[in-house]
Amino acid sequence: METILSVNKLTKKFGYLTAVKDLSFNIEKGNVYGILGPNGSGKSTTLGIVLNVVNSSGGEFSWFGGTLSTHKALKKVGAIIERPNFYPYLTAIENLKLVCKIKEVSEDKIEEKLELVGLLDRKNSKFRTFSLGMKQRLAIASALLNDPSILILDEPTNGLDPQGIHQIREIIKKIAGQGTTILLASHLLDEVEKVCSHVIILRQGEKLYSGPVDGMLRSHGFFELKSADNKNLVSYLGQHASFGSIKQENGLVTAFLKEELEAPTLNQDLFNNGIILSHLVKRKESLEEQFLSLTNHTNH
Amino acid sequence: MLRLLQIEFIKLWNNNASKVLILAYFALILCMALIAAIKFDIGPIQFHVAEQGIFNFPYIWHLNTWIAGGLKLFLAIIIVSMMANEYSNKTLKQNLIDGLSKKEFIASKFLTVLVFSVFSTIFVFVVSLVLGLLYSDYTEISIVLSDLEYLLAYLVKLIGFFSFCLFLGILVKRSAFALGFLILWFAMENLGIRFLVWWLAGKEASVSVMKFLPLESMSNLIKEPVTRFKAVQSMAQQVGEEFTKDYAVHFYELLVVGCWTGIFVYLSYVLLKIRDL
């Protein structure tokens, strides 16, 4: 597999504050990555470093196996950081022409990309007349001008209205569907869950997890159970070797698994022991629950 | 190199404010020709500026480069704001993310400064040549082409001054404050350092220190030409004064300004490099 970006022991200090601490990860071609973390966990700083706008205090990173200098590599990257930054007095098309000049690509694709983000009819309007959602879409068009090997998006839906968020997500899905590698930094988990195959989780500048979304927790999921006799159910589950913690809320018993256990087996077991269920669901934690449990468990 | 200039051209030329200022600057240089039209006709006193010999070759090179030098403040506004706007629009960050290197960024700005300076010098040359050919008492080629070092001094002066503006734009990041800083710096050189050294080490030391300060060395490249003008000199002689001043452009003065240019461009690069955006 081709490595697009490799980060090794990256550190960034702002005075006494360590924003990024010994961070290492690899971005492989073809995957969609999410960088997750609460506000101030070092997501934007990390992206700033690999994008040549923030100086690192230690560690290194290399693009495309280190064969290109950073600014040459960035010509093959499309990136949007926090807010769309363009020249307010230039029209959409003039701004994109400027980006083409910087990236040294031809200007043929400008119309195509504007079409993709739905801005073709506003191509001759000045950037300052755009709404935030339109600015963000223009930024995506600009990032795609060079048909990048990797698209980096930092909080792309921040500050947008629901319609804008929806439009941006549709665009991201469309791009991901074309096989482009994407690195998406966000604190909105459902956003990441919907599109990402891999996640990197940061907390206070440190990596808590990196790998496939499915393998985030060594969790076997949990059961949601209901029975006419919940007391009996809870005491039985408490003795069962497969279960860890058991919670009871609004008449719903939630039992977390310590080892693999199939729903039919449990159902049969309980029936044999005289407990009859009115409700049985086996679930995996959502990304949000996994994320919260990861970031909370390691709370110092 | 052409690519870097094209990038800067798109940024500048599509901005109405810069476009107006650039055009105004070159129009003002052209307006120097209007001096020729100054005529006083008050009864017995008839005075036509153009016929007083101020447009004589080679004196005209000195006079016109000196007058045009005063107009550089117009372009300074553009240069400071083209730098500071990159910060306030955060487009500097976007440019770097898009794959412009920090070196290329500084180079594109410096090349723009070079182009402005060269254009301005050519413009002053052409305007002066035409004025001179119209009004000069001497139009022999050898006289016309003498003292052209004033044009070289003008070019070096502009490049030096604009590099300083470039540096201030990066340092201060806000155009209005950067221009304020420029004025502050001017005051510091002329009031602060001049009199401090005078007070500490005497007048002669002060004069020689001043020669090496950035703004002073730039303005020293082309000394004021007014006292060199024959009419003024004869007037001075009548009141018993005599000007014995060295009006020439010296090589070491060009070198000092050249050094400052290098220092400012390099410092701009260093600032850009060490700063987080």
Side-chain angles (χ1 to χ4, degrees):
Chain A
M1 198 174 262
E2 200 181 322
T3 303
I4 287 184
L5 171 66
S6 135
V7 172
N8 187 21
K9 295 204 163 142
L10 208 60
T11 301
K12 175 64 187 178
K13 291 189 175 117
F14 292 111
Y16 290 110
L17 180 87
T18 306
V20 178
K21 199 171 172 188
D22 275 338
L23 183 65
S24 305
F25 61 86
N26 284 323
I27 301 291
E28 310 285 350
K29 194 177 172 166
N31 294 334
V32 178
Y33 289 85
I35 299 191
L36 286 178
N39 290 330
S41 57
K43 300 186 297 278
S44 298
T45 310
T46 309
L47 293 181
I49 294 171
V50 299
L51 291 174
N52 200 20
V53 291
V54 176
N55 296 306
S56 71
S57 324
E60 64 252 0
F61 62 91
S62 63
W63 286 99
F64 307 106
T67 47
L68 293 174
S69 68
T70 303
H71 80 273
K72 286 220 174 84
L74 289 182
K75 287 179 184 157
K76 299 167 78 181
V77 173
I80 302 160
I81 292 278
E82 285 160 348
R83 309 206 131 256
N85 303 318
F86 289 100
Y87 296 88
Y89 52 84
L90 296 184
T91 64
I93 221 161
E94 285 164 348
N95 267 305
L96 294 188
K97 274 186 183 161
L98 193 62
V99 175
C100 285
K101 277 269 175 307
I102 292 177
K103 287 191 180 284
E104 294 182 276
V105 293
S106 85
E107 296 173 0
D108 311 342
K109 292 214 165 123
I110 291 180
E111 305 245 329
E112 175 197 327
K113 302 302 177 192
L114 281 174
E115 170 98 72
L116 177 75
V117 298
L119 282 177
L120 198 54
D121 51 334
R122 292 295 302 271
K123 65 178 179 180
N124 288 320
S125 307
K126 290 202 188 315
F127 177 69
R128 63 163 170 263
T129 66
F130 281 14
S131 72
L132 183 60
M134 290 161 75
K135 287 178 177 176
Q136 196 64 276
R137 269 145 57 203
L138 181 67
I140 293 181
S142 142
L144 291 173
L145 278 173
N146 53 344
D147 287 321
S149 310
I150 177 171
L151 182 65
I152 297 181
L153 302 160
D154 187 4
E155 309 281 6
T157 56
N158 229 3
L160 297 184
D161 57 16
Q163 205 180 3
I165 293 176
H166 182 72
Q167 283 171 331
I168 299 285
R169 278 192 192 151
E170 287 307 308
I171 293 169
I172 294 175
K173 273 188 208 160
K174 215 191 277 181
I175 298 161
Q178 291 163 359
T180 307
T181 311
I182 296 179
L183 181 57
L184 173 71
S186 181
H187 57 254
L188 301 174
L189 294 146
D190 54 336
E191 190 166 290
V192 171
E193 196 171 21
K194 275 176 192 148
V195 288
C196 295
S197 59
H198 290 66
V199 282
I200 296 157
I201 297 184
L202 298 180
R203 202 176 133 270
Q204 294 179 351
E206 283 182 273
K207 185 175 78 178
L208 295 180
Y209 173 79
S210 80
V213 176
D214 307 331
M216 229 170 96
L217 271 191
R218 278 152 299 170
S219 134
H220 302 284
F222 58 90
F223 281 104
E224 280 177 359
L225 306 164
K226 222 185 238 176
S227 146
D229 188 3
N230 269 350
K231 216 167 145 191
N232 207 358
L233 173 66
V234 170
S235 76
Y236 174 79
L237 292 175
Q239 287 158 15
H240 199 294
S242 303
F243 288 100
S245 65
I246 293 155
K247 280 194 295 194
Q248 203 174 343
E249 211 173 279
N250 300 333
L252 191 72
V253 178
T254 312
F256 293 89
L257 282 167
K258 284 197 294 192
E259 56 186 34
E260 208 49 56
L261 182 69
E262 291 306 317
T265 324
L266 178 69
N267 200 5
Q268 184 72 55
D269 258 8
L270 289 171
F271 188 75
N272 291 346
N273 285 284
I275 302 167
I276 296 159
L277 295 171
S278 57
H279 176 96
L280 168 76
V281 178
K282 187 185 176 188
R283 279 184 51 198
K284 286 264 191 195
E285 285 93 340
S286 71
L287 190 58
E288 181 169 295
E289 285 159 323
Q290 293 185 51
F291 173 74
L292 287 177
S293 91
L294 246 180
T295 45
N296 286 336
H297 277 314
T298 39
N299 234 335
H300 308 294
Chain B
M1 205 171 99
L2 193 64
R3 166 179 155 254
L4 296 178
L5 273 175
Q6 282 172 334
I7 290 173
E8 213 48 50
F9 182 79
I10 298 178
K11 291 180 191 172
L12 272 180
W13 198 246
N14 292 303
N15 185 341
N16 286 334
S18 337
K19 192 152 60 179
V20 167
L21 277 174
I22 294 169
L23 292 177
Y25 173 74
F26 286 104
L28 277 173
I29 293 183
L30 206 61
C31 282
M32 285 198 305
L34 291 180
I35 302 173
I38 300 175
K39 255 186 215 175
F40 297 105
D41 200 352
I42 321 163
I45 313 160
Q46 285 208 349
F47 183 77
H48 187 186
V49 172
E51 276 155 17
Q52 300 302 308
I54 65 163
F55 291 140
N56 279 348
F57 288 116
Y59 176 70
I60 189 172
W61 299 128
H62 188 177
L63 179 75
N64 279 5
T65 49
W66 184 71
I67 296 175
L71 299 175
K72 65 182 185 295
L73 213 60
F74 258 85
L75 273 193
I77 298 172
I78 297 175
I79 300 208
V80 163
S81 67
M82 82 178 182
M83 203 58 244
N85 281 346
E86 300 273 4
Y87 274 101
S88 45
N89 292 335
K90 291 202 172 178
T91 41
L92 166 58
K93 194 171 171 180
Q94 195 62 44
N95 281 178
L96 295 181
I97 290 172
D98 286 338
L100 203 66
S101 75
K102 290 179 177 176
K103 241 182 217 151
E104 283 177 326
F105 185 80
I106 295 288
S108 79
K109 298 294 181 195
F110 185 63
L111 282 173
T112 312
V113 162
L114 280 186
V115 167
F116 272 137
S117 307
V118 167
F119 265 98
S120 176
T121 308
I122 293 173
F123 219 71
V124 168
F125 174 77
V126 171
V127 169
S128 308
L129 191 68
V130 171
L131 273 181
L133 289 176
L134 284 177
Y135 295 104
S136 175
D137 299 336
Y138 333 98
T139 46
E140 291 86 354
I141 296 285
S142 61
I143 297 180
V144 169
L145 294 183
S146 58
D147 278 6
L148 280 182
E149 67 267 22
Y150 283 106
L151 284 167
L152 176 68
Y154 179 72
L155 178 67
V156 171
K157 175 180 167 151
L158 285 193
I159 295 173
F161 183 69
F162 295 151
S163 304
F164 186 42
C165 295
L166 211 63
F167 169 69
L168 287 183
I170 291 197
L171 181 73
V172 184
K173 302 187 209 170
R174 296 275 179 281
S175 17
F177 287 116
L179 287 171
F181 196 89
L182 183 68
I183 295 166
L184 189 73
W185 184 274
F186 179 75
M188 224 162 67
E189 270 190 24
N190 273 289
L191 300 172
I193 301 180
R194 184 192 296 271
F195 291 111
L196 186 72
V197 180
W198 196 322
W199 181 57
L200 287 175
K203 188 184 172 185
E204 254 145 60
S206 165
V207 170
S208 43
V209 166
M210 289 303 286
K211 278 182 192 162
F212 293 99
L213 298 179
L215 282 182
E216 190 62 23
S217 66
M218 285 167 205
S219 80
N220 247 338
L221 271 181
I222 299 172
K223 285 108 190 155
E224 55 80 27
V226 179
T227 51
R228 198 185 172 192
F229 182 41
K230 285 207 182 67
V232 175
Q233 272 185 346
S234 60
M235 213 141 49
Q237 266 167 1
Q238 280 166 12
V239 293
E241 280 277 346
E242 204 166 333
F243 299 110
T244 46
K245 208 170 162 180
D246 179 10
Y247 296 100
V249 178
H250 294 287
F251 175 71
Y252 78 90
E253 293 170 333
L254 292 172
L255 194 70
V256 169
V257 177
C259 284
W260 279 117
T261 307
I263 290 171
F264 288 134
V265 173
Y266 181 70
L267 283 181
S268 308
Y269 175 63
V270 169
L271 265 183
L272 192 63
K273 199 166 175 169
I274 58 172
R275 261 196 202 145
D276 290 331
L277 291 166

